[in-house]
Amino acid sequence: MTEQQFIPQVYTKDITEGTVSWESPSNIALIKYWGKKKDQIPENPSISFTLNACKTTTVLSYSKKETTSDFDFKVYLDGEHKPDFQPKIKTFFERVLVYLPFLKDYAFKIETSNTFPHSSGIASSASGMSALALCLMSLEQQLQPGMTSEFFNQKASFLSRLGSGSACRSIEGDLIVWGENETVEGSSDLFGVKYPYAVHENFKNYQDTILLVDKGEKQVSSTVGHNLMHGHPFAAQRFAQAHENLASLKPILESGDLDAFIALIESEALTLHAMMMTSMPYFILMKPNTLEVINKIWAFRKETGLHIGFTLDAGANVHVLYPKSEAEVILKFIKTELASHCQNRQFICDEIGFGANQLIINKD
Ligand code: DP6
């Protein structure tokens, strides 16, 4: 597959107006994407669990315009007009115009809402960008009927990637690989693919409880962080390590070795933050409570032998990962011991999910 294959031929249908809607989930990386080349090409492969509860719902309404001079769209969050979202969507439209040449032909209304609280520190770019990309694909599908669902998903992931790298891993589930790696057949830098090998029962219904340690705006955005990997003294080793870790994960996922799984994902999370701390300029996104939580997780694991582990995204929140079979005791521990380290004692119970869903629009 090359980018060329996502440039459409002439559309066969003429659509004047309509509405489509998708809900698309967030995802949590186990092996992290951190560092990118031009056009949102990742420096290394990543793999993630698709989430289930944390998602964005987007309703896209479109009507054909008289002129096609420029983009015409308005964005709403929870019913409120959001002009400050405009630049990000405009950049996205510019990037994908060659693949969706109808974009300047329509006036769009983009209405979006998230299941997770606003400014919870949970990035909405993965779920938000993928939901928008899927809506645009639904319009393209009407303009060019007959595309396969495989192509639909692949192009939706490809477009999502151009909006936000990690968004390309939100279209499907339950484990998605993005970035070429020689041990994963079919893996691509252009879009996410379903992890194609055997996965042990232990990883089915895996739980992710997201501790909202810090709900504030991050001091350093992911985009800036990715860029700081250019010229980073440990970049080459880190990118090589991600390839190796993906290869090591394969026998772990197959055998269900939870101890090895935890060791690998915790190391990945701390490596991600180590890259931030060793960038120039350097920065720290963890907060004191992030470390408190990590230490408590380690002590509890040692004491009980339960398979509780953590990962981090580019922020202070902690994703507590554990198998469903141990959920009762671990959730009790989270409530009694970890919730006090969260802002307003807030945490979100999520688990592995299976990707985005199209929603039926009620015409009334
Ligand atoms: C730490 O996908 O948010 O969550 O491509 O610039 O939009 P952009 O970055 P983004 O980066 C996510 C980084 C991460 C790791 C990961 O999800 O793999």
Side-chain angles (χ1 to χ4, degrees):
M1 268 284 184
T2 66
E3 286 95 338
Q4 295 300 316
Q5 278 155 282
F6 295 114
I7 299 176
Q9 306 298 315
V10 183
Y11 293 129
T12 51
K13 286 269 189 313
D14 187 28
I15 304 289
T16 48
E17 59 177 10
T19 305
V20 288
S21 178
W22 280 84
E23 57 171 30
S24 190
S26 186
N27 66 75
I28 180 67
L30 305 170
I31 293 178
K32 308 290 182 181
Y33 148 58
W34 197 245
K36 59 179 164 183
K37 302 178 214 172
K38 196 172 164 280
D39 298 331
Q40 300 277 101
I41 297 297
E43 290 276 13
N44 64 258
S46 57
I47 183 168
S48 52
F49 277 150
T50 304
L51 294 179
N52 185 45
C54 290
K55 57 192 174 198
T56 297
T57 299
T58 296
V59 179
L60 178 76
S61 310
Y62 43 89
S63 59
K64 199 128 187 211
K65 298 185 293 179
E66 303 277 292
T67 60
T68 62
S69 53
D70 205 358
F71 300 120
D72 181 345
F73 63 93
K74 277 205 165 83
V75 193
Y76 297 81
L77 176 68
D78 298 328
E80 198 186 317
H81 185 212
K82 286 276 175 192
D84 44 323
F85 285 14
Q86 212 84 356
K88 192 160 185 189
I89 308 285
K90 185 159 187 246
T91 305
F92 173 60
F93 276 13
E94 277 160 1
R95 282 191 197 151
V96 299
L97 181 61
V98 57
Y99 307 106
L100 299 173
F102 60 80
L103 280 179
K104 287 187 175 171
D105 301 345
Y106 290 90
F108 293 104
K109 185 178 181 195
I110 303 164
E111 294 168 282
T112 178
S113 61
N114 300 320
T115 55
F116 41 92
H118 188 51
S119 71
S120 56
I122 297 186
S124 58
S125 66
S127 52
M129 280 298 172
S130 54
L132 178 57
L134 283 156
C135 288
L136 293 169
M137 280 308 295
S138 284
L139 172 52
E140 177 161 77
Q141 195 174 35
Q142 293 177 55
L143 295 167
Q144 198 176 40
M147 68 173 73
T148 65
S149 63
E150 191 192 355
F151 179 83
F152 183 99
N153 283 340
Q154 225 166 53
K155 185 164 175 182
S157 175
F158 171 86
L159 297 171
S160 303
R161 187 198 96 237
L162 292 168
S164 175
S166 57
C168 78
R169 298 186 312 236
S170 280
I171 306 297
E172 294 179 278
D174 45 355
L175 267 169
I176 301 292
V177 177
W178 167 43
E180 224 172 292
N181 173 262
E182 60 179 18
T183 67
V184 180
E185 217 184 310
S187 56
S188 168
D189 284 347
L190 300 180
F191 45 79
V193 298
K194 280 174 128 167
Y195 178 72
Y197 305 113
V199 177
H200 192 276
E201 277 295 310
N202 282 351
F203 298 108
K204 302 276 150 82
N205 304 317
Y206 223 73
Q207 305 291 296
D208 179 3
T209 302
I210 309 164
L211 306 180
L212 304 182
V213 168
D214 188 64
K215 303 196 286 173
E217 183 101 350
K218 285 187 285 190
Q219 302 112 309
V220 181
S221 73
S222 289
T223 307
V224 171
H226 284 294
N227 284 335
L228 290 173
M229 289 304 281
H230 296 300
H232 189 292
F234 307 132
Q237 295 98 311
R238 162 59 198 153
F239 302 148
Q241 181 198 43
H243 280 272
E244 286 154 22
N245 280 349
L246 189 53
S248 312
L249 191 59
K250 206 167 157 184
I252 294 172
L253 289 176
E254 188 170 351
S255 66
D257 185 343
L258 291 171
D259 294 329
F261 177 75
I262 291 168
L264 195 140
I265 57 152
E266 290 189 349
S267 162
E268 269 289 321
L270 295 180
T271 301
L272 167 72
H273 285 258
M275 290 301 113
M276 300 173 187
M277 289 188 241
T278 48
S279 300
M280 192 54 83
Y282 42 81
F283 59 105
I284 301 179
L285 295 183
M286 290 186 288
K287 297 283 182 196
N289 275 326
T290 312
L291 299 181
E292 290 286 340
V293 163
I294 291 173
N295 280 309
K296 281 196 175 178
I297 288 174
W298 285 343
F300 182 72
R301 187 162 78 219
K302 199 162 171 209
E303 188 187 305
T304 61
L306 291 173
H307 298 98
I308 179 171
F310 72 87
T311 189
L312 306 166
D313 53 17
N317 294 337
V318 181
H319 289 246
V320 187
L321 300 178
Y322 49 97
K324 174 109 178 160
S325 58
E326 298 177 9
E328 205 182 315
V329 184
I330 291 177
L331 206 51
K332 203 165 153 209
F333 162 69
I334 291 172
K335 283 181 189 151
T336 55
E337 294 294 328
L338 303 185
S340 56
H341 298 288
C342 303
Q343 280 194 353
N344 309 322
R345 299 185 65 89
Q346 257 187 305
F347 57 87
I348 297 173
C349 289
D350 209 338
E351 61 184 347
I352 278 198
F354 297 92
N357 294 305
Q358 184 164 15
L359 302 175
I360 307 296
I361 294 291
N362 191 342
K363 290 250 155 66
D364 305 326

